[in-house]
Amino acid sequence: MNHHPTALPVVTVKMLRDPDALRRMCEAGAVHHVDMSGREPGWILTGHETAAEVLVDPRLRGDAPQAKGPEKELPDEEDLFFLPGEQHARLRRMISRQLTPRRVSGLLPRIQREADTLLDAMPVDEPADFIAAFSRPFPVAVLCELLGVPEEGRSYVRDYVFGWIAEAGVATAVTESAGVVMADYFKELIARRRAAPQADLISAIAHEAPNDVLSAVRLLLVAGHRPVTRLLTDGVELLLGRWDELVAGPSRLDATVEELLRVITPTTLSSRYVRQDVEIGGVTVPEGGGVHCALAAVNRDPARFSDPDSFVPDRPVNPHLSFGLGHRHCLGAALARAQARLAIDTLVDRFPRMRLATDQGPAPVRAGTRRLMVVLDSGDPT
Ligand code: HEM
């Protein structure tokens, strides 16, 4: 059989976010052997049932077969998700023990304060870019609260995170500039918290091996902002089309956020690698093969969701897989849900007449430069 990549259909990141392209793939089957344009060939899953089985299957692992060798002090960002099994398991244990529902609810007053501070700084009654003013800085501020980064250290985090976003697509390696500066800052902060613990997450893990603590902090920073920004940006854009409904009865906010997670699907792929030959949906995937769940397709699988392309905020059941599933399931799901609910609730409460600006300005020229122009309107007579 010919396994040469050129013989396979090419799948791009853009296609993995395009509902029409995904529907066509879905109709053609649930398992697709493809050329991942630039990465090693792999298998894309588009069916909900197959994806849900694969993500929890112990014969498939989260670390890529090439993730080997000595443990580096500063692995590159993308590699942090695919660290060798043992190291990854240590980080995951460390984070999951501390990123508990209790810690998330304890953070709510600070998350509220961060949301209010950003909204206070936005102009009212005139167009403003919601992404620059809110959906990008907010998740980063929340991460700083979670980790316990004091005010004077936040610029290191922002420079790094926003610099990295701006370069999305041509991601700068961590070993360059802002990544190194940030890592140096965190090494010092971790040492300070080890000596004098506070109530934050860094203090709670500071006694672990120094490389692991630094990797855990960086993993949280890398994993914990972009999908939230996307959820808030696309979510607010969608909800502004039906703002009055929310203003009239925001009580079903939980279900609304779940439906936003389904239709927006902020993270494109959830990946596993095969430890031994395994049959998936009638297709044999050989040892070492990468199996990638196209979450946007899975979340619109007509076999699982009725009327999958419509936004139905009161869906009675909503088993979307936007946070993945199984032994790699998103560790920040509770925090992500909490901040999305709080942000939407605060916007509805403070700006009942918020709307999209009529003029959205020029189309973005490259990734990271998109804008979402909105008008905050308190509805108060002036
Ligand atoms: C709407 C927001 C978010 C979405 C849609 C999202 C989605 C995901 C997905 C799909 C995965 C991979 C799961 C898998 O392969 O089974 C993941 C992993 C992860 N997420 Fe999230 N995430 C979000 C927010 C966050 C936040 C706020 C944090 C941290 C505070 C976070 C931390 C992580 C970490 C640490 C992992 C890696 C888990 C591992 O490798 O075992 N995420 N996330």
Side-chain angles (χ1 to χ4, degrees):
M1 208 155 100
N2 183 4
H3 278 298
H4 193 270
T6 51
L8 299 171
V10 175
V11 167
T12 61
V13 176
K14 202 164 159 227
M15 284 166 73
L16 293 170
R17 302 208 59 81
D18 172 6
D20 292 330
L22 292 172
R23 188 175 317 104
R24 284 195 294 278
M25 277 179 86
C26 234
E27 282 164 7
V31 185
H32 314 260
H33 192 196
V34 298
D35 175 351
M36 304 274 293
S37 56
R39 297 163 59 177
E40 80 280 15
W43 282 261
I44 294 270
L45 307 189
T46 48
H48 188 284
E49 193 182 350
T50 317
E53 279 169 19
V54 156
L55 289 175
V56 301
D57 191 328
R59 292 171 302 168
L60 285 87
R61 50 199 290 163
D63 51 333
Q66 62 270 28
K68 290 198 178 90
E71 296 185 0
K72 287 203 276 182
E73 188 194 23
L74 276 190
D76 280 348
E77 288 83 353
E78 300 293 351
D79 295 344
L80 280 168
F81 289 94
F82 303 105
L83 292 171
E86 249 315 292
Q87 194 185 1
H88 177 269
R90 285 203 307 272
L91 298 191
R92 192 169 164 97
R93 252 193 323 268
M94 219 155 101
I95 296 171
S96 62
R97 277 193 198 135
Q98 295 303 329
L99 192 39
T100 57
R102 190 155 159 224
R103 186 178 291 275
V104 171
S105 39
L107 274 179
L108 287 177
R110 291 157 181 247
I111 299 178
Q112 182 70 60
R113 196 187 56 201
E114 294 296 336
D116 283 326
T117 306
L118 290 169
L119 293 174
D120 288 345
M122 272 182 87
V124 177
D125 295 328
E126 62 182 77
D129 179 10
F130 184 72
I131 301 179
F134 193 85
S135 61
R136 199 173 278 166
F138 179 58
V140 178
V142 170
L143 287 166
C144 286
E145 289 294 338
L146 172 74
L147 295 170
V149 181
E151 201 49 53
E152 71 272 11
R154 295 191 181 194
S155 60
Y156 297 108
V157 178
R158 284 192 289 257
D159 286 354
Y160 165 72
V161 167
F162 299 145
W164 194 52
I165 290 179
E167 298 296 327
V170 264
T172 326
V174 68
T175 34
E176 287 167 30
S177 60
V180 175
V181 177
M182 187 191 72
D184 286 343
Y185 171 74
F186 273 107
K187 275 187 232 167
E188 196 232 286
L189 181 64
I190 292 163
R192 263 197 283 156
R193 292 290 189 265
R194 195 183 307 119
Q198 298 193 0
D200 53 64
L201 191 141
I202 288 189
S203 299
I205 60 173
H207 58 281
E208 305 271 358
N211 275 3
D212 282 356
V213 181
L214 185 59
S215 288
V217 167
R218 293 178 59 239
L219 178 60
L220 286 169
L221 286 175
V222 170
H225 65 93
R226 261 197 300 196
V228 185
T229 297
R230 194 187 288 265
L231 180 68
L232 292 175
T233 303
D234 293 355
V236 164
E237 184 177 24
L238 188 155
L239 291 177
L240 285 177
R242 47 203 302 154
W243 206 239
D244 291 348
E245 278 171 39
L246 283 171
V247 173
S251 54
R252 296 282 299 146
L253 202 52
D254 289 15
T256 302
V257 169
E258 291 314 300
E259 182 67 344
L260 287 176
L261 281 161
R262 186 187 73 83
V263 294
I264 292 167
T265 312
T267 301
T268 316
L269 292 176
S270 173
S271 301
R272 301 286 185 271
Y273 294 86
V274 172
R275 289 166 191 254
Q276 66 205 60
D277 292 10
V278 57
E279 197 191 294
I280 299 171
V283 175
T284 303
V285 179
E287 184 192 343
V291 180
H292 311 280
C293 300
L295 296 177
V298 165
N299 283 343
R300 289 176 186 235
D301 181 349
R304 196 68 188 83
F305 300 95
S306 57
D307 200 5
D309 291 331
S310 299
F311 177 74
V312 184
D314 52 358
R315 264 180 207 281
V317 278
N318 196 341
H320 67 75
L321 297 183
S322 287
F323 291 117
L325 208 62
H327 50 286
R328 291 260 164 164
H329 177 262
C330 174
L331 290 171
L335 183 61
R337 287 182 162 118
Q339 49 184 318
R341 281 182 210 140
L342 184 145
I344 296 166
D345 200 24
T346 304
L347 287 168
V348 169
D349 189 47
R350 287 185 57 175
F351 305 107
R353 292 174 47 187
M354 180 176 173
R355 57 185 182 276
L356 283 177
T358 3
D359 182 5
Q360 287 296 316
V365 279
R366 60 183 181 92
T369 59
R370 189 183 152 198
R371 300 198 298 173
L372 180 69
M373 301 305 289
V374 300
V375 178
L376 296 185
D377 179 342
S378 62
D380 292 338
T382 43

